[in-house]
Amino acid sequence: MFVAVCFVGGNMAGTVEASNSDQAIGESGRADVIVNDGKFDNPATESVLITPLSGQLDRGAADKAAADVAAAMKALPEVASVSDPLPSHDGGALLVRVTMSGDPETAQERVGKLLDATAGVQKAHPELRVEETGGESIGQAMDDTLGKDFQRAEFLSLPVTFAILIVAFGALIAAGVPVLLALMSVAAALGLSTLASHLVPSTDTTASVILLIGMAVGVDYSLFYLRREREERAKGRNHLDAVEIAAETSGHAVVVSGIAVTIAMAGLFLAGDVVFSSLAVGSILVVLVSVIGSLTVLPALLSKLGRWIDRPRVPVLWRLTRPRAASEGQSKVWGFILRPALRKPAITLTVSVLALLALAAPALTMRLSFPGMEDLPRTTPAMQAYDRLVKAYPSNGTVHTIAVRVPAGQLDATKAALAELANRAAADPLFAPLDEAPDIEVSADGTVAVLDVATPFAGRSDQAKESLTRLREVMVPQTVGKVAGTEAAVGGFVGADVDYADHVKHKLPLVVGFVLVLTFLVMAFTFRSVVVAVTSIALNLLSAGASYGLVVLIFQGTWAEGILGFKSMDAVVSWLPLFLFVVLFGLSMDYHVFVVSRIREAVKQGMSTRDAVAHGITGSAGVVTSAAIVMVAVFSIFATLSTVDMKQLGVGLAAAILLDATIIRAVVLPSLMTMLGNANWWAPRFMRRREVPPATPAHERELVGSSR
């Protein structure tokens, strides 16, 4: 009922989408705000490019094709006007611009008729290449490509998760419960996020992040709970006692983990960016719903199902995955893996930490940038046409937008200054030559003027960034800046790229500091140990740093292009480091809290630290390994998507979880805790908890000690 109310209520309330002014960052953001204030009528436009299949362009044949294009387009109700053919500077191409009618927001849905008309002209002129490109046709092509990508990812993620859980539990019902709980959490959080959007506007990526985080934590929390319940039943307890003990132990770990993940995600609010704020809201909601579900729905299900949770059994898998009775001893495999950390902790710790630091070292050379048009897949005809268009008409490529707020009585002076700026730029090799007279747009009320200045260089190139600096620091101040009372800003892709990278670099230390301080406090008071809190933070930082290094190593070079199917952008996507840090820090705490809780529980039962480490890690090995395999598998699916930003996100998340569940948990953590011994549990006097009196009955003492 809760899920239904959230989902239906959220859909009824509707979603408030973030506006351009909400997303304004830096000078480029100010430029967008100025342009929006001008309330320009900017209809959607498409470009039809006519080029030879080989050799020189036959101008007579090209003119006939251009006339056919104009005739075909003018016959469509979706077209408002068609321009005269515009030859390129070298005479090797002919360009026809088409202005669409109607609402630009829905133009992408209607551009198919224009593409059909272009295809018809191409069929009539097989000796030429007649092709269409533009924002709407590229958008439609990319939506089709990415839509298929995400459909494939969604189609694969659930079966892969379910298959892994079947292998982990050896029983179908036990495998289905975590998936069911995760999907319920996602559905409820999606509804709640639409309600929350009335306070914090939502963005396009919010739903995807809710799905990603929700499946990860929902499955994790259920796994923790289920494995502990099965383990207690293997010790001979009835199913209700087993559920209660699971609640006291794994349920407690779930609450602490949920708080840690929530704190990490809340750090995104400090970024001062509506995109990160919306991601924080979505992530926090799905984590909190997952925690609530794990403490209510899950134990209720387990109590009701009883031993049916282990039905129907998969014969071979059940025998391999059933909980081990105490008389069977510990896993020999994990005993072998842990042997170096337990016998030679100092040497093992030193070698493993140095290896992770070496892996993290490439992160020092990290460069941040937005993906541009050059990073989109070239598999679609629209993108192939775009490349030929930019080559023939450089002014149609990377564009800087100069937006000017015009004071009263200064419109003519502002237009003259902008015309002077355009002519200066056309004479500068950093900018593209003018294909036609400068097009200065003025708002209906005369308060805003806009000029686009193109550069022939790719948006992320050093030359493009140099041209931005030239505009901002030299050309604009020397022209528009001399008109009294004007407010000018330079935007466009290059400006947004530079401004956002600077924004992330400025905010990252603030977010990291916030997450570290609050996580320290939560861990310190949860485990009543300053040392556990400090080591927890250090190990998670080590894991995050290593994943950063891997992302830089893979995506700032070209050696992995053929393996992962991408073209290197020689940079990391600007938003990735900040988002990756909070997600990794939060998800890594899942495992860490669970494993350390088991170790602490063993210490409370009288084991030495060395034995407790071995017992805690081997006892949690199955559940943590299963959870890690699920997350690595799901995140790896994202690495198969077409766009480079999704590939980087998938690789970064999968690598960090893999490192955390293997090297950190099996090598670094046990060697560090073994070496520290009793010092692991040091805390100031005010943090120490009163011990359970010896007279407490054994069964109650176990429950109380576990809850600690």
Side-chain angles (χ1 to χ4, degrees):
M1 288 179 65
F2 172 75
V3 173
V5 168
C6 290
F7 191 75
V8 174
N11 286 333
M12 290 176 64
T15 303
V16 177
E17 297 286 348
S19 64
N20 288 336
S21 59
D22 291 327
Q23 303 181 57
I25 299 291
E27 183 173 339
S28 58
R30 289 195 292 110
D32 288 341
V33 171
I34 293 173
V35 172
N36 290 333
D37 289 346
K39 295 181 173 59
F40 289 96
D41 179 20
N42 286 323
T45 59
E46 288 285 294
S47 297
V48 179
L49 183 67
I50 302 170
T51 54
L53 293 173
S54 61
Q56 299 294 318
L57 179 68
D58 182 341
R59 184 57 188 271
D63 284 337
K64 290 180 181 178
D68 289 348
V69 168
M73 293 295 180
K74 288 177 180 178
L76 298 175
E78 291 82 7
V79 173
S81 63
V82 181
S83 73
D84 293 332
L86 177 67
S88 61
H89 285 289
D90 60 4
L94 207 60
L95 176 64
V96 179
R97 289 199 177 94
V98 181
T99 302
M100 295 184 66
S101 60
D103 185 358
E105 297 295 326
T106 63
Q108 187 173 309
E109 303 168 10
R110 297 177 283 113
V111 76
K113 296 287 185 66
L114 280 71
L115 292 169
D116 292 341
T118 302
V121 176
Q122 170 67 87
K123 189 175 181 180
H125 297 271
E127 74 282 3
L128 296 170
R129 184 186 289 112
V130 183
E131 53 193 346
E132 182 177 337
T133 188
E136 312 312 318
S137 53
I138 290 175
Q140 185 191 73
M142 292 312 302
D143 281 354
D144 290 343
T145 301
L146 294 178
K148 292 176 182 176
D149 276 355
F150 281 107
Q151 285 177 3
R152 186 178 74 251
E154 291 169 1
F155 177 78
L156 289 175
S157 60
L158 284 179
V160 166
T161 301
F162 189 58
I164 294 170
L165 292 174
I166 291 175
V167 174
F169 286 110
L172 297 184
I173 294 178
V177 167
V179 175
L180 176 64
L181 185 68
L183 290 176
M184 289 171 65
S185 300
V186 168
L190 285 172
L192 291 173
S193 69
T194 59
L195 294 172
S197 70
H198 292 266
L199 297 175
V200 179
S202 180
T203 60
D204 294 338
T205 53
T206 304
S208 299
V209 169
I210 288 176
L211 177 62
L212 189 72
I213 302 298
M215 290 302 296
V217 299
V219 169
D220 271 12
Y221 296 164
S222 301
L223 272 170
F224 295 165
Y225 220 109
L226 274 168
R227 289 301 287 255
R228 186 56 186 263
E229 188 267 349
R230 294 179 79 192
E231 182 182 321
E232 295 302 325
R233 279 195 287 115
K235 294 178 181 178
R237 304 183 191 278
N238 65 54
H239 76 273
L240 288 178
D241 285 344
V243 171
E244 288 181 4
I245 293 173
E248 293 281 359
T249 54
S250 295
H252 181 253
V254 164
V255 173
V256 175
S257 173
I259 293 172
V261 177
T262 299
I263 287 172
M265 296 302 176
L268 290 174
F269 287 118
L270 298 179
D273 178 349
V274 71
V275 175
F276 284 132
S277 295
S278 68
L279 296 183
V281 169
S283 302
I284 289 171
L285 287 173
V286 78
V287 169
L288 292 179
V289 171
S290 297
V291 170
I292 293 170
S294 298
L295 300 180
T296 56
V297 178
L298 186 55
L301 269 175
L302 294 179
S303 299
K304 191 70 175 175
L305 288 170
R307 295 188 179 275
W308 276 96
I309 192 70
D310 293 330
R311 302 286 192 275
R313 296 173 179 175
V314 182
V316 176
L317 292 177
W318 169 255
R319 186 169 298 177
L320 293 173
T321 61
R322 65 183 175 84
R324 301 172 65 88
S327 60
E328 298 180 67
Q330 295 180 341
S331 166
K332 292 181 180 179
V333 173
W334 276 96
F336 174 78
I337 292 172
L338 289 173
R339 191 176 301 161
L342 299 178
R343 292 186 177 181
K344 302 286 185 182
I347 295 174
T348 305
L349 179 65
T350 302
V351 172
S352 56
V353 168
L354 288 176
L356 288 170
L357 289 175
L359 196 57
L364 297 174
T365 64
M366 182 186 292
R367 294 181 292 276
L368 300 180
S369 184
F370 274 150
M373 292 293 285
E374 60 267 36
D375 300 306
L376 295 177
R378 258 48 187 179
T379 54
T380 61
M383 286 308 306
Q384 295 165 5
Y386 172 81
D387 289 338
R388 282 186 279 268
L389 173 68
V390 173
K391 184 177 180 181
Y393 300 86
S395 62
N396 287 272
T398 305
V399 173
H400 301 290
T401 299
I402 295 94
V404 184
R405 206 179 293 278
V406 184
Q410 297 283 22
L411 180 59
D412 290 339
T414 301
K415 291 174 66 176
L418 286 172
E420 180 187 351
L421 190 156
N423 291 325
R424 283 195 188 187
D428 191 314
L430 285 173
F431 300 93
L434 290 172
D435 294 322
E436 49 194 334
D439 182 16
I440 300 171
E441 290 188 86
V442 179
S443 61
D445 59 5
T447 60
V448 175
V450 177
L451 171 69
D452 287 339
V453 176
T455 176
F457 305 104
R460 287 194 317 276
S461 64
D462 292 338
Q463 297 95 326
K465 292 176 182 177
E466 186 181 349
S467 68
L468 174 72
T469 303
R470 183 80 55 87
L471 278 174
R472 286 181 171 179
E473 297 182 3
V474 180
M475 291 186 174
V476 170
Q478 291 180 354
T479 54
V480 179
K482 292 184 177 180
V483 179
T486 56
E487 177 192 349
V490 181
F493 171 79
V494 184
D497 184 18
V498 171
D499 293 342
Y500 203 79
D502 289 343
H503 172 74
V504 170
K505 290 175 182 176
H506 177 69
K507 295 294 185 179
L508 185 59
L510 181 64
V511 174
V512 170
F514 171 84
V515 172
L516 294 185
V517 169
L518 286 191
T519 302
F520 170 82
L521 294 175
V522 169
M523 296 298 286
F525 280 95
T526 297
F527 292 102
R528 301 290 170 172
S529 168
V530 171
V531 177
V532 167
V534 171
T535 55
S536 300
I537 289 172
L539 296 188
N540 279 284
L541 284 174
L542 200 58
S543 176
S547 68
Y548 279 175
L550 271 174
V551 169
V552 171
L553 198 62
I554 292 171
F555 290 99
Q556 281 190 191
T558 58
W559 64 272
E561 288 181 336
I563 301 172
L564 293 176
F566 71 97
K567 182 181 178 183
S568 175
M569 56 184 285
D570 195 32
V572 173
V573 178
S574 299
W575 54 264
L576 190 68
L578 194 56
F579 183 67
L580 199 59
F581 173 80
V582 296
V583 172
L584 295 182
F585 213 84
L587 295 183
S588 295
M589 278 298 173
D590 276 0
Y591 304 144
H592 200 81
V593 168
F594 189 68
V595 174
V596 176
S597 294
R598 295 298 295 265
I599 296 171
R600 178 67 166 166
E601 183 181 340
V603 169
K604 286 292 185 182
Q605 292 172 358
M607 291 188 187
S608 67
T609 299
R610 183 181 182 278
D611 291 341
V613 167
H615 175 81
I617 292 179
T618 55
S620 61
V623 62
V624 173
T625 302
S626 301
I629 291 173
V630 168
M631 282 206 274
V632 170
V634 172
F635 294 153
S636 296
I637 292 172
F638 277 76
T640 68
L641 302 184
S642 299
T643 57
V644 70
D645 53 348
M646 288 294 103
K647 286 184 183 292
Q648 291 188 9
L649 178 62
V651 169
L653 290 172
I657 297 301
L658 187 61
L659 287 170
D660 193 72
T662 54
I663 297 177
I664 297 292
R665 178 171 56 90
V667 182
V668 180
L669 176 64
S671 60
L672 179 60
M673 294 194 76
T674 301
M675 190 173 69
L676 290 173
N678 289 333
N680 282 294
W681 318 112
W682 181 87
R685 184 179 298 275
F686 73 90
M687 289 178 59
R688 297 174 191 169
R689 181 183 283 152
R690 183 175 63 85
E691 295 298 327
V692 180
T696 304
H699 177 67
E700 294 179 21
R701 186 162 61 249
E702 180 184 4
L703 295 183
V704 176
S706 299
S707 70
R708 286 175 178 169

